[in-house]
Amino acid sequence: MRDFLIKLSKIERRYIYLALFLALTLPLIFPPNFPQKMSPTVKSVFEFIDTLPPGSHVLLSADYDASVLPEVDPMYRAVLKHCILRGVIPIGMTLYPQGAVLALDAFKEAEEYLGARRDTDYVFLGYQAGFQAVILGIGENIKNVFPKDYFGTPIDSIPAMRGVNNYKDIALVISFSGSSVPVTWVIYAYSKYHQKVAAAVTAVSAADFYPYIQTGQFVGMLAGMKGAAEYEYAVRKIMKDEGIEKLPPAKAVKGMDANSIGHLLIMLFIIIGNLGYFAAKRRK
Amino acid sequence: MIWIYLIITLLGNAPPRVFDVPNDGGNALRVEWQLPPDSLGKVDSMLILRKTLPEGKVDTVAKAFTNHPEFVDEGVNYKKAYRYSILYFIGPVQIQSKWSSPAKPIASWIDTRKIPLFILMILYTTILLVYIFTARKGRELYLRPIAGLEAVDEAVGRATEMGRPIVYIPGLSTISDVATIAALNILAHITKKAGEYETKIIVPVRNPVVYTIAREVVKEAYYTIGRPDLFDPGQVYFATDSQFGYAAHVSALMAREKSATNFFMGMFWAESLILAETGASTGAIQVAGTDAVTQLPFFVVTCDYTLIGEELYAASAYLSKEPLLTASIKGQDQMKLLIMVAMILLSLLSVFGVNITLGLF
Amino acid sequence: MLQRRIPLVIVFITGVLMSIQYFIPHPVSQSAYNIALTWFRGVASMAYAIAVISFVRHHSRRLKQPQNSFYSAVALAAFLFMCIVGFGFGIGEGTIFAKMYLNVQVPLQATTFSLLAFYMASAAYRAFRVKGLEATLLLITAFIVMFGVTTIGNYIPFIPKLTEWLMAVPNLASKRGILIGVGLGMISTSLKIILGIERNWLGG
């Protein structure tokens, strides 16, 4: 046994690489779909939207570009679908010029899988330049900032926007971002208008936002691939419960499964390495 | 009724007020205006108009939303004066305010916000100079042993014994990065040492400017030890400026040349582990040094010795044992002590609610 | 001697001027800074020409070495091909150059980047050995953080909070400590070069 452990601890690099390759690729080909338990910060956002009365409005700001797409885009898609499933009206907008095209694709997906209708079940306002001016402008009157939606329809003639004038009529703002834009929302929308704000950010930038959760300035936060997978999993569960047969691809869950198995394999290797190390030490 | 009242009030409203933005190069003016209290939500939008003097040319500089009655115009020149006016849109009606009195942006000669930084810079420079002059007088200064630098002789010696080359990577950054300069300083020492044993040193470089300097450094180092004949123009070369292309090249170089010793000094990013792990797999002795905090763990696990952060900057002084250079390290330590004391004091004060750093930095 | 002194004098004058320039926002100081930047760009672009010559010479020499000839031939052929299509047909969107860049170079770079996952596994495997108290603490911390980023982590009650704390407090504190030292080291190295005390960049 001791010899076996020592031998195992001196395993060649190529076998480790092979094992890791399999651990990362197999879950992508044959997704195990591990159940995802929500972390507290994700749960706060999920429950907030889940308990909103139908007809409420949630502003989803796609403040990201293609560089952070793999992490942030699944979050946008999942939250958007959650809103539509619960009868909450998502208002899509972006402070990034590239964000409009990316977010629009998410709305198209919601149309395809949930039969969401533009201007009735959702609104897409598109891009408006000027970070703080836009955030402050919505606080007074959203129509001043976005007189027309992305498709050129005047806001006044959109049924889903009836009665929406400013933050008072918006239950929650979620900023999806790979940078510090969510903080700009806190500074101008939360501090000045007491608007409830949540963040959906990349894993790398998440550490910078934790203090805002502790102080209650963010309702909650979706962080990295893990946050995306947790939310996506919960939304897919609702879709299944509602009898929707055709489900969109579970990009985040799949990615997170591969990620988790990869990490666990590395941990297993570390344990094996240590057992071998101890066995060799005892022999000496 | 309210509309008529609003239009009348806006017509009689005071012109915007214009202020200079301090501490700039005279390229910004701040425009402020006041709205009647009842106007919130009634004014659809506003345009800020600017008249350049003496030409009298009028430009629209920005669109504003009513709840933010302030705008900073960064498109002005300190040689000219400007007047501003606001154009209000209320439904189909447009009302223009009176023009403000002329204002000229001031180009500042000193940025007052940077004064605390300037004082600190002077303080630190003084401390360093004091130690350097002390060293000039011939006082010996003690430097604690740094394992990574003590190992340089051993690493070069090993390459000599094995008859294999040394690979030296001066980081992947540009010459503007101080870490790259530190890496080039260390390169000079190692080349001299390797030259004494006639051991080959290979320096693949990623940045063109760094390449030209690294080439001169190696050439001069051989010249200094009286062995200009050892310089081979092919030993320092430009590999590629693609980050991962460079990582692939260096990995292949270490695997094919079977280098006995690898040095990774300077600035590294995501490629650090690819380089160091390949080097470790060839069985080479590896010494790394970087100030890239996120890459340090990778070097620590894959290299035999790692210079952490400031040790990279201390390396040149340490290797040369020149009194003037070692003196600066002493000065650096004193400054660190000062910072530590200041941090503890300020933290204690903030516990008691006294926040004296506010606005200083 | 003069060959040494001239660069040292240039470095001293520009170093002092550029340090003062940082505190002066006036357009006169800004234009001096822009001049310095333009000069730097000019020198850098010339360095590119020298670097390309070095690249071609290096690989041409290696063509004669049997163990390296194949790789160097590929490098030179790729270089020549990209030069021909780049200079001959332009580098804009839709050109052969752009297509080669997007479909060959970008995937190759991504492949090399993704090797990191494998190297991280083998490095962790060798590094995390319980050799003493410090190594044990490091191992425990690594396990907690790794659990924290997996799906299973959420099923263990204290893991998410502890991971968050480890990243936001001890990790950030040590990073800041290193960064303060790095900052001071940078200033001191710059000062030594400006004053001409450090001359190793001139070859020693």
Side-chain angles (χ1 to χ4, degrees), chain A residues 6 47 54 85 112 166 203 205 218 223:
Chain A
I6 294 171
E47 283 180 352
L85 285 164
E112 189 188 338
N166 50 35
S205 59
F218 280 146

Side-chain angles (χ1 to χ4, degrees), chain A residues 35-52:
Chain A
Q36 307 278 337
K37 193 184 172 196
M38 269 192 251
S39 8
T41 58
V42 177
K43 204 172 178 183
S44 322
V45 181
F46 184 86
E47 283 180 352
F48 191 97
I49 295 177
D50 216 47
T51 50
L52 281 176

Side-chain angles (χ1 to χ4, degrees), chain B residues 255-275:
Chain B
R256 268 184 247 133
E257 295 281 342
K258 301 228 168 358
S259 51
T261 304
N262 302 326
F263 287 100
F264 306 104
M265 299 285 175
M267 185 67 196
F268 293 88
W269 288 281
E271 72 294 331
S272 64
L273 185 64
I274 298 177
L275 299 174

Side-chain angles (χ1 to χ4, degrees), chain C:
Chain C
M1 196 62 199
L2 205 61
Q3 210 183 353
R4 279 269 156 114
R5 192 154 284 177
I6 292 172
L8 287 175
V9 170
I10 295 174
V11 164
F12 178 77
I13 294 171
T14 38
V16 170
L17 283 180
M18 285 295 116
S19 309
I20 297 170
Q21 183 278 329
Y22 176 75
F23 298 95
I24 304 171
H26 198 277
V28 172
S29 135
Q30 290 308 314
S31 56
Y33 179 62
N34 287 336
I35 290 170
L37 280 185
T38 315
W39 265 86
F40 182 74
R41 277 198 294 271
V43 172
S45 54
M46 287 315 291
Y48 258 95
I50 299 169
V52 169
I53 296 168
S54 158
F55 174 86
V56 175
R57 277 172 70 176
H58 175 72
H59 287 289
S60 308
R61 278 159 55 119
R62 294 210 323 172
L63 281 177
K64 291 167 203 149
Q65 302 165 359
Q67 79 271 29
N68 292 320
S69 57
F70 175 71
Y71 306 105
S72 287
V74 172
L76 283 174
F79 170 74
L80 281 174
F81 178 76
M82 289 304 267
C83 280
I84 292 165
V85 296
F87 285 114
F89 306 101
I91 57 167
E93 210 179 315
T95 55
I96 307 174
F97 185 91
K99 279 181 185 157
M100 289 299 286
Y101 178 77
L102 286 174
N103 300 310
V104 179
Q105 180 149 0
V106 172
L108 281 175
Q109 288 190 20
T111 309
T112 317
F113 185 29
S114 64
L115 287 178
L116 258 184
F118 299 97
Y119 286 179
M120 233 176 252
S122 66
Y125 171 65
R126 280 183 294 111
F128 291 116
R129 294 279 152 94
V130 190
K131 286 177 182 164
L133 178 70
E134 286 165 3
T136 315
L137 280 176
L138 186 71
L139 180 72
I140 296 169
T141 317
F143 261 64
I144 294 169
V145 175
M146 278 199 268
F147 260 126
V149 294
T150 60
T151 311
I152 301 165
N154 284 356
Y155 290 92
I156 309 167
F158 63 93
I159 290 280
K161 284 262 169 220
L162 196 55
T163 307
E164 193 187 311
W165 181 81
L166 282 169
M167 294 305 285
V169 183
N171 175 53
L172 202 62
S174 55
K175 268 189 185 175
R176 284 182 183 161
I178 295 173
L179 285 174
I180 289 174
V182 166
L184 291 174
M186 276 188 189
I187 301 173
S188 131
T189 305
S190 311
L191 196 71
K192 281 185 277 182
I193 291 171
I194 291 172
L195 295 178
I197 297 168
E198 173 72 84
R199 295 171 186 196
N200 279 302
W201 57 278
L202 284 170

Side-chain angles (χ1 to χ4, degrees), chain A residues 13 17 133 136 140 144-145 193, chain B residues 41 44 65-68 277:
Chain A
R13 273 189 178 80
Y17 296 159
L136 286 166
E140 190 178 320
N144 287 349
V145 188
Y193 295 100
Chain B
D44 294 326
F65 302 111
T66 47
N67 61 352
H68 201 58
E277 182 66 2

